[in-house]
Amino acid sequence: INPERDGYILTGDANVVHASLAARYEIVDPYAFASRAIDADAFARPILERACARAGALRAVDDLLTTKKEAFLEDVRAQAQATLDSFGAGIKLLGVELTRDLSPPPQVRDAFASVGRATEDRDRMRSDALSSAAETRGKAKAAAVRVREQSASEAKRLLGDVEADAVVFQALLPEWRRNRKGIEDRLLADALAKARPEETFLLRPGEGVRLRLERDTRDIREEMLKRAKESGQ
């Protein structure tokens, strides 16, 4: 590194970064300027270099090479302006800009580039993971809402079926108390009369069977309720 040719700064984590900056300024107090700073460029240059060195020493190299460049330049401007004001030079800095992007020395530039690519890959993978997690959470919430709604609907339907069966049983209860065997035979006969061949089962003595009937039984319940009311009259 040739400091006269390859202007550089030392970072807070003991790295070296090439830097080339330019400052825009105006003379706001001609009398003060004429009294203290006849050559504005010569007067401001070492002040800017000192501010640049101090601002760079407060930052890590990764910050200077990636996302913190604007903050670095503003810090340089503020420190240099404070020094100019302390001298009463009548100079106002309008801005400090990079004339060439900050970069590491050529000997390690490829290594820094590899780190930069790895950082970009990490950020991309993190962003993809967060996006996927958000999508998964959204789907899970939607599925949970759907399951709750279906469960509530199914519970309401089952409750309606149970209440309807209870009405039928309550209507049949007086007759069943009077003639239990007769009501059982009648209900069995009604069930067998309405049974389809594919819904008929023959069981040996002592065997059991479990049935789950999904067919709508509202018409059957209404007919049984009608008969029970007629029998009660």
Side-chain angles (χ1 to χ4, degrees), residues 128-207:
D128 292 345
L130 292 174
S131 176
S132 178
E135 181 180 359
T136 301
R137 282 195 298 269
K139 290 181 179 179
K141 290 180 179 179
V145 170
R146 184 171 64 254
V147 169
R148 282 196 295 268
E149 291 177 349
Q150 291 175 349
S151 300
S153 177
E154 181 67 10
K156 185 176 180 180
R157 184 187 68 80
L158 292 174
L159 180 61
D161 291 345
V162 171
E163 290 176 344
D165 289 341
V167 171
V168 172
F169 294 150
Q170 288 292 334
L172 291 173
L173 183 58
E175 184 178 356
W176 180 82
R177 286 173 175 169
R178 292 193 301 270
N179 184 8
R180 176 174 179 177
K181 185 69 171 69
I183 194 67
E184 289 177 351
D185 291 343
R186 195 185 80 192
L187 291 177
L188 177 60
D190 289 344
L192 292 176
K194 293 180 175 62
R196 299 176 183 179
E198 65 271 17
E199 296 174 346
T200 304
F201 301 89
L202 297 177
L203 303 177
R204 294 185 179 89
E207 290 183 346

Side-chain angles (χ1 to χ4, degrees), residues 23-27 33 39-41 44 91-95:
R24 294 179 293 107
Y25 65 88
E26 66 177 355
I27 308 302
F33 174 74
D39 186 342
D41 290 349
I91 299 174
K92 179 181 179 181
L93 293 176
L94 302 177

Side-chain angles (χ1 to χ4, degrees), residues 27 29-38 89:
I27 308 302
D29 188 340
Y31 177 78
F33 174 74
S35 301
R36 297 176 176 81
I38 299 176

